[in-house]
Amino acid sequence: MHSFRRRPLLLPVLLCALAVLAARPVDAPEEDDGSGLGARVVRLYEDAARTTQRYEDGRREAEAQRAKVLEYQKQLDRQRRRTDSLHEDLGPVARAQYRSGGEVPLTEPLVLTDDYPEPARGQGAAAPVDPAVEKAIGESLRAEARLAADAAEAQAARQALEERNARLADRKKRIEGKLHAARSRLEKQAEASVAAGSCPDAVRLGQPHVRLRRSWVAPVENYELSAPFGRSGTRWANRHTGQDFAVPVGTPVRSVGTGRVVKVSCGGAFGIQVVVRHTGGYATQYAHLAALAVGQGDRVAPGQWIGQSGSTGNSTGPHLHFEVRATPAGSALDPVPWLSQRGVRL
């Protein structure tokens, strides 16, 4: 017979952890620290990402807990069938006593005398109880009780997770609504700056908490590749000179490597753009931005935020136009193999 060990601390520990998470403010007051709309978008962007991650983690935990509940229920059903099968070996008196939950030991009415009336023997009502069967039934009943308690624990933990996930889903929805509104305002602000022929002031965004140890990185973290290098089309004088990354307005844009900002401009086909020169004379361009996080002459590190994506200039929608040049002035190269040679696969 299988042995099922209880884990009495599992549910209290899990429920305490959920209580701590639930106690965190769902919508903390947003303070205006004077860093501007771009910084607000980044804060909401990060908050939305964290909430989404917590929600997805919680959803997976709830699914695992649901599977555990189902498994306990299957084991409990098997154990109950085993108990019922064992009781078939008992006479009607013992079965009735088991079902009624009486306190008289199963063997007591059956071992008071060795003189069993023949009619009773024929009905099985006074047949002696096999001690091994009685022991097996006791163990089976105890196993049932343990499984029922484990199933109840797992169900309670699952319910707590689902309640927490519902709160996270509501929080995620509210943050995304605020983020959408902030992105829209940032885009309009960027378009107004370009139309006026002036660059918006650089917003010194708080940098990513994790410092990257790689020498080269992708210019954005989460993206879909859109127009590739070399594509022909009516929007380009000759062919597409870079690789486009489809991302929402306000997405943090990163310097792909160590370098110095050699150009910041805010007009023409590229809209708001930054050009960074790297070791070896190569340069990278980040165009159609909605906001700047660096100024001309700044030194930048791999992964450092240098601006935020947008749709300024000659653009049909929010994206980052990323270019690699043999020199800061031009001679465009295909960014995909160039980054791949440096360990970055897009």
Side-chain angles (χ1 to χ4, degrees):
M1 180 178 294
H2 294 290
S3 174
F4 301 96
R5 295 183 180 178
R6 294 293 307 280
R7 294 174 295 282
L9 294 178
L10 174 62
L11 182 60
V13 169
L14 180 56
L15 293 178
C16 285
L18 292 174
V20 170
L21 290 171
R24 294 180 180 178
V26 172
D27 270 316
E30 295 178 4
E31 298 179 0
D32 183 4
D33 59 5
S35 57
L37 185 55
R40 172 176 166 77
V41 170
V42 170
R43 288 197 300 272
L44 288 168
Y45 179 90
E46 291 184 314
D47 202 3
R50 284 193 298 268
T51 303
T52 298
Q53 185 61 55
R54 288 175 58 199
Y55 173 79
E56 290 301 322
D57 290 345
R59 183 183 59 79
R60 286 190 290 269
E61 290 171 17
E63 283 300 312
Q65 207 64 32
R66 177 177 177 275
K68 189 180 292 187
V69 170
L70 293 175
E71 181 58 29
Y72 279 136
Q73 288 174 342
K74 288 179 183 178
Q75 292 180 16
L76 185 56
D77 287 343
R78 287 197 295 269
Q79 197 63 44
R80 283 171 175 163
R81 287 196 297 271
R82 175 175 172 77
T83 303
D84 290 342
S85 176
L86 289 169
H87 274 88
E88 291 301 318
D89 295 337
L90 300 179
V93 173
R95 289 200 296 272
Q97 175 185 309
Y98 159 68
R99 294 189 182 113
S100 66
E103 296 181 359
V104 181
L106 289 173
T107 55
E108 185 170 327
L110 307 176
V111 297
L112 295 177
T113 177
D114 291 331
D115 186 15
Y116 302 105
E118 285 300 323
R121 286 180 185 276
Q123 298 170 4
V129 174
D130 185 338
V133 174
E134 184 179 14
K135 180 180 179 182
I137 289 173
E139 291 177 351
S140 187
L141 289 172
R142 286 190 291 273
E144 277 188 36
R146 288 194 294 271
L147 282 168
D150 286 340
E153 276 191 4
Q155 180 61 29
R158 177 192 173 191
Q159 183 175 351
L161 283 165
E162 289 181 343
E163 289 173 357
R164 168 189 174 242
N165 290 347
R167 291 193 295 271
L168 285 171
D170 183 61
R171 170 182 169 81
K172 179 174 177 283
K173 183 177 179 180
R174 291 199 299 273
I175 292 172
E176 287 176 345
K178 293 179 180 179
L179 180 56
H180 177 76
R183 280 173 168 160
S184 179
R185 292 197 298 273
L186 180 63
E187 188 172 20
K188 291 177 181 178
Q189 178 179 287
E191 289 171 352
S193 294
V194 172
S198 62
C199 286
D201 293 336
V203 175
R204 303 297 174 172
L205 301 172
Q207 294 301 314
H209 300 298
V210 178
R211 294 296 179 183
L212 299 174
R213 299 191 179 187
R214 291 172 290 164
S215 298
W216 299 93
V217 298
V220 286
E221 289 189 77
N222 301 302
Y223 56 85
E224 288 185 12
L225 295 178
S226 49
F229 178 82
R231 173 180 288 182
S232 60
T234 58
R235 301 195 66 83
W236 306 296
N238 186 11
R239 291 183 179 274
H240 194 219
T241 54
Q243 171 65 57
D244 286 352
F245 294 77
V247 289
V249 171
T251 300
V253 173
R254 312 186 294 183
S255 173
V256 296
T258 300
R260 184 182 294 277
V261 177
V262 295
K263 183 178 182 180
V264 174
S265 64
C266 302
F270 290 120
I272 300 174
Q273 65 164 318
V274 171
V275 177
V276 177
R277 184 172 57 206
H278 305 281
T279 303
Y282 291 105
T284 52
Q285 179 204 34
Y286 312 79
H288 305 310
L289 302 178
L292 298 166
V294 291
Q296 194 151 323
D298 286 356
R299 292 284 298 175
V300 293
Q304 179 178 333
W305 290 342
I306 59 175
Q308 291 170 265
S309 62
S311 188
T312 55
N314 184 14
S315 171
T316 58
H319 72 283
L320 169 69
H321 173 85
F322 174 71
E323 229 173 81
V324 176
R325 300 170 176 174
T327 67
S331 302
L333 306 172
D334 189 341
V336 174
W338 189 86
L339 284 172
S340 179
Q341 292 168 7
R342 289 156 177 77
V344 180
R345 296 191 177 275
L346 301 179

